[in-house]
């Protein structure tokens, strides 16, 4: 766990697996970036966090996909696409809205 109690991967897979998973994540991010050009997608490969995150800085909508999630052995291409779609939904999903975080 991290200081935020987010789950972290215990160890990293082998190089071949890493290359494949990084390529898959990059391809998905490219597809999502083309489909949703108002959102900036980033792969935070070196992070061991098993997570994805939607956040805003000013008017810039961001989605981070963390390396720990990409490298997790039970998470496949469809799972990564689902995580990206979920985080994109925080920015573009419409109602219902969070009463405290008006942008979400």
């Amino acid at each position: 766990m991290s200081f935020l109690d987010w789950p972290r991967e215990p160890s990293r897979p082998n190089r071949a697996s890493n290359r494949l998973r990084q390529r898959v994540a990059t391809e998905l991010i490219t597809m999502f970036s083309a489909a949703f050009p108002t959102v900036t997608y980033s792969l935070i490969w070196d992070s061991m966090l098993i997570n994805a995150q939607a956040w805003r800085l000013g008017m810039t909508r961001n989605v981070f996909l963390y390396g720990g999630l990409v490298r997790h052995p039970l998470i496949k291409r469809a799972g990564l696409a689902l995580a990206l779609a979920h985080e994109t939904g925080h920015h573009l999903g419409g109602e219902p809205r969070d009463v405290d975080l008006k942008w979400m």
Side-chain angles (χ1 to χ4, degrees):
M1 292 285 193
S2 72
F3 72 98
L4 294 174
D5 287 334
W6 288 352
R8 295 173 57 102
E9 64 183 329
S11 63
R12 296 198 177 198
N14 64 48
R15 283 187 200 164
S17 177
N18 276 346
R19 281 193 304 270
L20 174 62
R21 289 178 172 277
Q22 189 171 22
R23 188 177 79 235
V24 166
T26 300
E27 289 170 358
L28 285 169
I29 285 174
T30 299
M31 292 169 60
F32 271 80
S33 295
F36 306 103
T38 62
V39 179
T40 301
Y41 296 89
S42 300
L43 173 59
I44 312 302
W45 179 254
D46 289 332
S47 173
M48 294 179 74
L49 291 178
I50 301 171
N51 203 2
Q53 181 179 27
W55 60 282
R56 243 175 129 158
L57 182 60
M59 295 305 293
T60 304
R61 297 171 170 148
N62 298 284
V63 169
F64 278 4
L65 184 61
Y66 293 102
L69 181 64
V70 176
R71 290 185 297 270
H72 193 287
L74 297 178
I75 304 295
K76 308 298 182 205
R77 182 182 184 92
L80 295 175
L82 178 63
L84 288 169
H86 172 88
E87 299 305 333
T88 301
H90 285 301
H91 291 300
L92 306 177
E95 300 294 337
R97 300 205 182 272
D98 188 301
V99 296
D100 296 318
L101 300 173
K102 303 287 186 213
W103 67 267
M104 189 180 297

